[in-house]
Amino acid sequence: MITLSSDFGAPYPAAMKGVIARACDARLVDVSHEFPRQDVSTAAFWLTQTLPYFPPAVHCVVVDPGVGTDRDALVVRAGEHALVGPDNGVLLPAARELAGDVEVFTWAYEDAASTTFHGRDVFAPAAAAVHETGVDAVPDLDRTTATDEFVDLQFPVADRDGDGATGEVLVVDGFGNVITNVPGDVLAGRFGESVTVNGDAVPARRAYAAVEVGERLVTVGSHGNVELAVNQGRGDDAFSLEVGDAVGVAR
């Protein structure tokens, strides 16, 4: 299996699929091609939430605002998985979710046909090559060179303060749910009560529908972090928050 993730929308992923299909017979699975454009951090977060549910695979990820520059192409080996993509941090969080210890390699691509579409001309061929030779053989490929110099994106950690925490908004999903880096255990024992979010009292509930339609709530999302939401509405609007904003949660 080769999975494909990008911020391309359409039709660019089709060209990547064509390149891979001509090189190997891997099953191709789209994770998403609708990641926010040039938003490396958001793509990295969603990959941590999706790739661990796949069986062993090669994951081709192209969110690449530095395309055409001298940034490296990487192959990251994470257990039985391999991730292929640009050296801008997008691969490392998910790789570490897949396996605690990872190995990082640069991928030589001097013969790239273009400087504007490395998804087609660099990363798709690399993913096919890794698939064909096998993840275990990555260190022995002619184009790979082990490296310990790479962009290592790490998500910010919330500050704990007694029975509360101060963190920030990591991403906002398509429903408008505000996903923070505040760990969900801050709400332990508080469901059914209210907590303060940036000084405002908000009910803590386990499910969106536990409050009236249009009402705000604080919950723990499937990612394990505190999430700010509105039942059948947009939490980002109701809480006036966007990515990077500070969020304080307390009793």
Side-chain angles (χ1 to χ4, degrees), residues 156-161 164-170 178-183 186 197-198 225-226 228 241-250:
V157 177
D159 294 324
R160 301 297 291 259
D161 180 17
T166 300
E168 65 181 70
V169 179
L170 292 179
V178 178
I179 299 169
T180 77
N181 65 343
V182 176
V186 166
V197 177
N198 290 349
N225 294 348
V226 168
L228 312 178
L241 290 170
E242 59 186 26
V243 173
D245 284 351
V247 175
V249 180

Side-chain angles (χ1 to χ4, degrees), residues 4-213:
L4 299 170
S5 304
S6 77
D7 58 353
F8 289 162
Y12 297 111
M16 295 173 61
K17 293 179 181 181
V19 168
I20 293 171
R22 293 180 66 176
C24 67
D25 61 355
R27 177 186 176 191
L28 300 179
V29 177
D30 293 307
V31 176
S32 177
H33 297 291
E34 300 299 334
F35 290 134
R37 301 290 167 83
Q38 291 92 46
D39 190 337
V40 172
S41 181
T42 294
F45 175 83
W46 287 121
L47 292 171
T48 68
Q49 302 302 306
T50 53
L51 298 191
Y53 293 95
F54 280 89
V58 177
H59 306 286
C60 183
V61 180
V62 192
V63 178
D64 191 17
V67 63
T69 69
D70 60 358
R71 64 94 185 90
D72 286 325
L74 297 183
V75 178
V76 181
R77 190 164 69 162
E80 297 180 287
H81 297 256
L83 296 88
V84 177
D87 181 17
N88 58 17
V90 71
L91 304 178
L92 271 298
R96 292 197 173 103
E97 284 291 319
L98 290 164
D101 294 323
V102 302
E103 298 172 277
V104 183
F105 304 85
T106 58
W107 177 270
Y109 61 91
E110 291 85 354
D111 57 349
S114 76
T115 58
T116 60
F117 194 3
H118 281 182
R120 179 195 67 194
D121 300 330
V122 176
F123 301 120
V130 172
H131 173 272
E132 286 299 276
T133 57
V135 173
D136 290 342
V138 165
D140 303 319
L141 292 173
D142 291 340
R143 294 195 177 202
T144 57
T145 303
T147 183
D148 57 6
E149 295 183 1
F150 50 86
V151 178
D152 191 1
L153 188 157
Q154 299 190 35
F155 300 117
V157 177
D159 294 324
R160 301 297 291 259
D161 180 17
D163 59 358
T166 300
E168 65 181 70
V169 179
L170 292 179
V171 299
V172 176
D173 71 14
F175 293 97
N177 299 319
V178 178
I179 299 169
T180 77
N181 65 343
V182 176
D185 61 10
V186 166
L187 298 183
R190 301 184 184 183
F191 291 106
E193 305 175 1
S194 289
V195 298
T196 62
V197 177
N198 290 349
D200 292 336
V202 182
R205 300 292 186 266
R206 295 188 183 276
Y208 307 119
V211 298
E212 295 295 325
V213 172

Side-chain angles (χ1 to χ4, degrees), residues 177 208 213-217 228-235 238-239:
N177 299 319
Y208 307 119
V213 172
E215 186 176 350
R216 300 191 303 174
L217 70 145
L228 312 178
V230 170
N231 182 15
Q232 300 184 38
R234 293 194 64 89
F239 287 89

